[in-house]
Each structure stands twice: as C-alpha cells, then as structure tokens.
Amino acid sequence: MEPSLLPVEILEAQQDFPMALAACKDLDGLLRLKGAYIGREGSHAARLMELLKAAPKEQKRELGAAINALKNQWEETIKARQVELENAKKRAAALGNTWDPDLPAPMPAQGSLHPLNRLIDRLVDVFRPLGYHVEEGPEAETEAHNFDGLNIPVDHPARGSADTFYFEKHPGLLLRTHTSPVQVRTLLRLAPHIKEKGGIRFLAPGRVYRKDEIDPTHSPMFHQVEGMLVGHGVGMHHLKGTLAYAMKALFGPGADIRFRPSYFPFVEPGCEVDVRCPLCGGSGCRVCKQSGWVELLGAGLVHPNVLEYAGIDPGEWSGFAFGMGVERIAMMVSQTPDLRFFFENDQRFLKTMGGLD
Ligand code: PHE
C-alpha cells in the first residue's frame, strides 16, 4: 500500500504507538490509549473508517486491508498489555497484604531425628564401648524365630491370635512380638564362628507388635532394644554389672538398679530389672508411683534350649539377654505421661523433646 494513502496524523500515530504503549504503566493509562487508538468515536481507528468510506472506489480494497491490519495490530497489542497489567495488579494486591520489609524472613523448617530414634542411638552408643554391635531382624517374623527357637511352648498364651498379629495368608508368619527373635537369628548365623570369636555380644533395636488396645501406656506397635552376650562362664553378676554400667551411663552416676525374680521361657533364671527413679532419686514421685523404682526391662541367663536350638553347646557356652521397652524409658526421661505423643508426630511435642539428646 502507498503510505501516502494514509493521512499524516495517522502515520504519526502509528509511529508513536509503541512508545505510547510502553508509557502506560497502569490500566487507566492503557484504557485512555485504547480509547485514543481504537475507541468507537474520535479514535484513530474511527478516523480511518471515515477515510475508507470517503475513499475512491478503486482504492477501497487496498486501503481497507491496510486499515484492518493496522487496527488488528493495535487491538492485539493493547490486549496483551492489558493482561500483563492486570496480572501485575493482582500480584501487587496479594503482596500488599503481607509485605512488610521489617519482618524477619521465615526460616525453612529443619528436620531432625525422632526422639525415639535418638534414644535408641544413645543406647547403642552406651553399649558400643563394651564391644556390642547392632543386629537386625525382620518385623514380619516366623513362628520358629519368634517362639520355637526361644523355648516358648506351643500352648503358651503369647502364641494365641488374641495377643499376636498373624498373617492370614501366610501360615507361620507373624509380626514379631518382641526383639528376642533376633537372638535366635544371630545365634544361628554366628554359631559356626563362635569359637574363633570367643563369644558373641550385640544389641538389636527395632519395632515390635502386640494386639494391645491403645491407651496412655499401650500401643499395638512399640520399640524394644534387645541385648545379648554369649561367652564362657557367663553369670548373673555379668548381667548385673553390665546393666548397672549402662544405666549409669544413661541416667547419670547416681543410677541404681535392682533385680526381681521373674519368668521368661528363654531365660533361666529370669528377672525384671528396676532402676531407681531418675526423676525423684527414689524419694517417690508420680513417675515411679511413689515407689522410688521404675521397671526397666526383662532379662536373665540364656536358657540352654535357646543355645541348643542354634547349635551352640550349652555345656561349653552360657550367656545373658535382656530386652527393654524404648517408649517406657523415653516417657520416663521426658516425663511424658502418654505414649501416644511419640506416634502422633505433632511438631509442637517433638520440638520439646530436645532433652533426650
Ligand atoms: N522379650 C521379652 C519381652 O518382650 C524381654 C526379655 C528379653 C526378657 C530378653 C528376657 C530376656 O518382654
């Protein structure tokens, strides 16, 4: 098209358009520009339409195409700019409500180990200098490891489906009810090397499961730390010395322990071990129910049948074993009255648990 077909004022407007557009910093300005360029009346576009009407017939086609192209270009560009400005306005409005340059920047939340895992780590650290390493076993365990290898009779109530979770579709498989099956697994695995090693000692922390109703001191899933030592001429005095050392390391030099006779099929003799209440020092408080002592764990000398099951000669070897409830210790140390706090993962609670470190 001949440029001369368009009047000078339009050519100037066309030339000015990019700059005029860039100068529109807000929607109001853009609307004014829109009115000036493509408004119904008095705009450059309206003027062009008048021009087209008045043009000689033979020019109409070419002029019409040129005018349309120009109008479309203005329209599209203005539209795009309008969207940009509207979005900017929305962003500014959203920011405007919260933006305060004096406020401290929000700190990203930092993850940390769960208090129960920290306590387990601490127990492992207490026993490591005594030569104990960590063993693991599966949570889905066989009846053989969970019961048979531990001298637990077939008619023992703990084997019943009222106490134990069995896998319906996998006979003989259950959720382990204690960490003691790791005794059986580890003895079986290490029995061929026991002579050259001169003995065995390890800890086995992990999850265990029992069909208990949930209440402040019971949960169908909880944690235990198992400990076992097998050697020559191992007696109750070794068990007592080891646990006394561990409890002092855990609760402080004033920690004291006492043994009460008890029964577990996989130890003989068996006992329960109490620690002098670490909170009141024995004078009596809510945690120890005024008795001055808190029950800590089950223990005893490894039953000869357990050694035999693993192929270890009980005439030559003897040992001790103990199993403690992690939640019980955590509740005591942290004075948490309800074990459910440990499983609900409420950050407000977990953050108060720094004291377990
Ligand atoms: N397994 C026993 C329990 O869960 C604890 C225990 C472990 C007792 C080792 C004696 C020896 O109650």
Side-chain angles (χ1 to χ4, degrees):
M1 181 190 62
E2 296 286 326
S4 54
L5 282 178
L6 296 174
V8 173
E9 34 155 340
I10 299 286
L11 292 174
E12 276 176 357
Q14 186 194 7
Q15 254 181 3
D16 289 346
F17 181 72
M19 281 222 318
L21 187 80
C24 292
K25 294 293 181 213
D26 56 24
L27 280 167
D28 285 349
L30 187 71
L31 282 181
R32 280 196 296 276
L33 181 87
K34 194 173 171 180
Y37 273 84
I38 53 177
R40 279 189 170 279
E41 279 171 34
S43 69
H44 297 306
R47 168 104 178 79
L48 284 170
M49 293 320 283
E50 285 165 22
L51 220 69
L52 183 61
K53 257 191 213 156
K57 212 177 166 193
E58 64 275 17
Q59 282 185 8
K60 272 197 177 95
R61 205 181 214 288
E62 206 183 350
L63 188 63
I67 288 172
N68 262 341
L70 198 57
K71 258 179 68 184
N72 284 345
Q73 190 211 330
W74 287 343
E75 235 169 61
E76 274 168 32
T77 318
I78 288 171
K79 184 99 209 235
R81 181 78 181 134
Q82 190 174 340
V83 171
E84 259 177 41
L85 287 172
E86 275 167 358
N87 286 342
K89 193 175 168 183
K90 275 187 216 147
R91 274 199 305 275
L95 263 181
N97 296 331
T98 54
W99 171 244
D100 178 348
D102 289 333
L103 285 178
M107 293 301 285
Q110 197 184 350
S112 61
L113 288 179
H114 191 277
L116 292 177
N117 286 332
R118 292 212 304 274
L119 181 54
I120 289 172
D121 287 352
R122 222 174 107 188
L123 282 161
V124 170
D125 285 346
V126 163
F127 280 89
R128 224 186 268 285
L130 302 181
Y132 288 67
H133 68 277
V134 172
E135 289 285 350
E136 280 178 33
E139 289 170 31
E141 189 48 283
T142 64
E143 262 181 278
H145 292 103
N146 197 81
F147 295 129
D148 300 348
L150 288 166
N151 194 39
I152 298 175
V154 270
D155 56 356
H156 193 281
R159 292 202 187 222
S161 58
D163 292 330
T164 301
F165 292 103
Y166 285 89
F167 288 86
E168 271 173 29
K169 295 191 178 150
H170 299 276
L173 209 62
L174 46 79
L175 288 176
R176 67 180 179 192
T177 58
H178 49 180
T179 42
S180 301
V182 187
Q183 291 186 26
V184 181
R185 286 184 174 273
T186 308
L187 289 184
L188 280 166
R189 199 183 80 239
L190 296 182
H193 314 288
I194 188 169
K195 270 216 161 65
E196 77 211 43
K197 283 179 179 295
I200 296 167
R201 57 185 81 176
F202 61 88
L203 287 189
R207 291 195 183 109
V208 301
Y209 302 83
R210 287 179 200 174
K211 280 194 183 168
D212 281 329
E213 292 297 329
I214 300 178
D215 70 20
T217 54
H218 292 89
S219 157
M221 186 283 291
F222 57 101
H223 297 75
Q224 287 189 333
V225 172
E226 193 84 7
M228 185 177 221
L229 177 143
V230 175
H232 292 295
V234 178
M236 282 303 260
H237 51 309
H238 294 113
L239 172 64
K240 203 165 179 183
T242 302
L243 290 178
Y245 162 84
M247 293 311 125
K248 284 188 202 309
L250 200 60
F251 297 119
D256 200 5
I257 54 171
R258 71 174 186 190
F259 281 36
R260 281 179 290 108
S262 186
Y263 176 75
F264 303 94
F266 34 96
V267 285
E268 180 57 36
C271 59
E272 271 168 328
V273 181
D274 302 334
V275 65
R276 197 187 294 282
C277 181
L279 292 179
C280 65
S283 58
C285 70
R286 197 171 46 85
V287 170
C288 61
K289 300 196 185 75
Q290 311 305 327
S291 73
W293 296 90
V294 196
E295 188 190 318
L296 202 67
L297 48 83
L301 295 187
V302 182
H303 196 287
N305 289 353
V306 174
L307 295 173
E308 227 155 49
Y309 184 92
I312 294 171
D313 178 7
E316 188 183 347
W317 301 92
S318 53
F320 63 68
F322 56 86
M324 57 184 114
V326 178
E327 283 79 0
R328 176 182 282 271
I329 300 177
M331 285 171 76
M332 189 166 68
V333 182
S334 63
Q335 296 197 54
T336 301
D338 193 320
L339 144 150
R340 286 171 286 196
F341 281 115
F342 288 104
F343 302 127
E344 281 166 358
N345 287 334
D346 184 328
Q347 301 250 335
R348 288 168 303 181
F349 168 74
L350 296 177
K351 277 182 186 153
T352 65
M353 285 290 100
L356 284 181
D357 276 331

